[in-house]
Amino acid sequence: MARPRKFQAETAVAKAMEVFWEKGYAAASPQELGARMGLGRGSLYNAFESKQGLFECVLRHYHEHEAPKLLALLTRPGPIKERLRALLLAVIETDVADPERRGCLAINTAIELAGRDAAAARLAARMFEQTEAAFLSLIEEGQRTGEVDATRDARELASFLLNNLTGLRVLGKTAEDTTRLTRIVDALLRSF
């Protein structure tokens, strides 16, 4: 009979996510991960097979639990530009208010690992695709209601929004306040 696990996997993964988010993949040591998760090194490897296996679980957790929180702002009622502005300002406020300037785990992963870890790159790309799909849905809604020019390519606009969101998240890691980032949002919203 297999030994029962003495920890909650979901809780452990959420704690590991904090370490990877704060430090990045390379700087997160197995000792620190285990300590934060309440697991010994052996238990960590028994449960997740490797640091990379744990990281992939963390990215899936982030994709399923963290990313949807912000994207939910796009599904609220109201004009689409107001919803988009609410999302972008929420991202800015979150990033600038974070004393550790963690930013977005998907973007951090793409920057740190995309050329060296195909599995991590695929998981980050899937998160970008999820965000772009949410933008596409919003733009298509705006085209149906007349809020967005229906002659514009909706996929092109969704990619444009994803690119701008990514840039805002990177700039948010060093911004001293929200002034510059809010100007970017206002210019972006005037562009369509």
Side-chain angles (χ1 to χ4, degrees), residues 78-81 83 137-150:
I80 65 124
K81 287 185 182 181
R83 288 186 266 159
S137 178
L138 185 73
I139 290 162
E140 289 173 340
E141 178 186 341
Q143 288 178 325
R144 285 190 303 275
T145 63
E147 296 172 79
V148 175
D149 182 351

Side-chain angles (χ1 to χ4, degrees), residues 82-148:
E82 286 180 16
R83 288 186 266 159
L84 181 57
R85 189 171 204 282
L87 168 73
L88 297 173
L89 292 181
V91 165
I92 290 168
E93 291 293 334
T94 299
D95 288 350
V96 173
D98 182 0
E100 296 176 26
R101 299 303 173 101
R102 296 175 304 167
C104 170
L105 184 59
I107 293 168
N108 297 348
T109 298
I111 291 168
E112 181 182 7
L113 297 175
R116 294 175 288 165
D117 184 330
R122 277 192 304 276
L123 288 166
R126 199 164 68 199
M127 286 183 258
F128 298 147
E129 289 164 6
Q130 174 189 28
T131 302
E132 189 169 2
F135 285 150
L136 178 61
S137 178
L138 185 73
I139 290 162
E140 289 173 340
E141 178 186 341
Q143 288 178 325
R144 285 190 303 275
T145 63
E147 296 172 79
V148 175

Side-chain angles (χ1 to χ4, degrees), residues 28-121:
S29 71
Q31 294 78 16
E32 184 172 5
L33 288 162
R36 189 82 65 95
M37 296 166 69
L39 296 174
R41 187 178 179 135
S43 295
L44 188 145
Y45 286 108
N46 285 337
F48 300 100
E49 296 182 12
S50 66
K51 179 180 166 182
Q52 181 176 358
L54 172 59
F55 188 61
E56 289 172 14
C57 288
V58 161
L59 289 175
R60 283 191 292 276
H61 177 84
Y62 183 83
H63 175 72
E64 293 167 9
H65 299 281
E66 296 298 319
K69 291 177 188 175
L70 284 172
L71 293 179
L73 294 172
L74 297 179
T75 61
R76 292 180 173 176
I80 65 124
K81 287 185 182 181
E82 286 180 16
R83 288 186 266 159
L84 181 57
R85 189 171 204 282
L87 168 73
L88 297 173
L89 292 181
V91 165
I92 290 168
E93 291 293 334
T94 299
D95 288 350
V96 173
D98 182 0
E100 296 176 26
R101 299 303 173 101
R102 296 175 304 167
C104 170
L105 184 59
I107 293 168
N108 297 348
T109 298
I111 291 168
E112 181 182 7
L113 297 175
R116 294 175 288 165
D117 184 330

